[in-house]
Amino acid sequence: QMAHRLYTLIFPLDRQANRVLLGMKKRGFGKNKYNGFGGKVEAHETIAAGAMRELHEESGLSARSLDKHGILFFYFEGDSVAMEVHVYVTGEYAGRAVETDEMRPEWFDMDGMPFEKMWADDPEWWPMVLEGKRFVGRFWFKNDMVTITRREVAPV
Ligand code: 6U4
Ligand code: NA
Ligand code: NA
């Protein structure tokens, strides 16, 4: 059994306007890609608390509730540690999105995601978020992290 490292990924939604807040990542893993907000879960916190903390650190927003949508497992060729990413949305949050050291926030139409500037797996599961479905996905990447060599993604 392979070792996993826990991560969160959270998407603030403005359901009335049919928009989602993404962040352009300015540094580190996934630099120059748009994504939801998130990061590593710390040892002392629950996964949900980690999602809320990362959202606040990276966007300035404070979530009042979370909706869990899925779990994504990412495997990288030649890497013995997989990523286990817990995906949430929130429609209830306080504050206003601000640019931080890590992320430049930008609203997008929920049906107009900039997939060409996102991780390669995102178009495969984002439709399930829109449909309100829960999902589990497993993606195997080549070293370039662009090419998916194998995928299993399904609603649960
Ligand atoms: P540091 O810089 O150590 O504080 P931290 O913010 O804890 O990092 P980070 O930003 O490296 O962690 O976490 C990676 C983020 O990227 C998580 O939100 C999960 C997300 N992510 C990683 N691979 C992804 C992929 N293939 N598709 C996707 N999100 C991915 O949609
Ligand atoms: Na992060
Ligand atoms: Na972080």
Side-chain angles (χ1 to χ4, degrees):
Q1 180 64 36
M2 199 178 195
H4 290 68
R5 178 147 205 186
L6 278 174
Y7 292 83
T8 58
L9 183 60
I10 176 167
F11 294 90
L13 305 181
D14 176 349
R15 293 187 196 275
Q16 282 185 330
N18 198 46
R19 292 193 309 172
V20 54
L21 188 71
L22 301 179
M24 167 51 74
K25 191 111 189 274
K26 294 162 67 176
R27 66 175 190 204
F29 192 67
K31 185 177 171 183
N32 295 329
K33 287 188 192 332
Y34 283 108
N35 206 347
F37 303 88
K40 300 174 193 81
V41 178
E42 293 176 359
H44 64 271
E45 66 187 358
T46 63
I47 299 172
M52 295 211 193
R53 176 184 53 73
E54 290 279 353
L55 177 67
H56 187 256
E57 285 177 8
E58 296 183 354
S59 77
L61 299 180
S62 299
R64 293 208 181 89
S65 66
L66 296 181
D67 298 320
K68 181 147 187 186
H69 257 287
I71 307 183
L72 299 169
F73 296 91
F74 300 123
Y75 306 96
F76 304 103
E77 208 174 270
D79 192 338
S80 63
V81 183
M83 298 180 78
E84 176 178 334
V85 181
H86 290 245
V87 183
Y88 298 85
V89 303
T90 177
E92 296 186 305
Y93 39 85
R96 189 171 272 277
V98 294
E99 182 165 349
T100 63
D101 287 349
E102 185 152 337
M103 287 286 212
R104 180 168 51 76
E106 191 174 331
W107 289 96
F108 288 88
D109 195 281
M110 282 200 237
D111 303 307
M113 299 288 271
F115 288 128
E116 68 287 351
K117 293 178 198 161
M118 298 178 75
W119 287 103
D121 51 284
D122 292 12
E124 309 216 15
W125 51 265
W126 180 253
M128 284 184 257
V129 175
L130 296 186
E131 291 163 16
K133 290 180 182 152
R134 289 173 180 242
F135 54 88
V136 173
R138 295 176 192 278
F139 295 90
W140 286 260
F141 286 90
K142 269 201 171 146
N143 285 334
D144 61 13
M145 291 187 197
V146 175
T147 310
I148 297 170
T149 57
R150 183 178 155 207
R151 56 177 51 79
E152 294 169 4
V153 56
V156 291

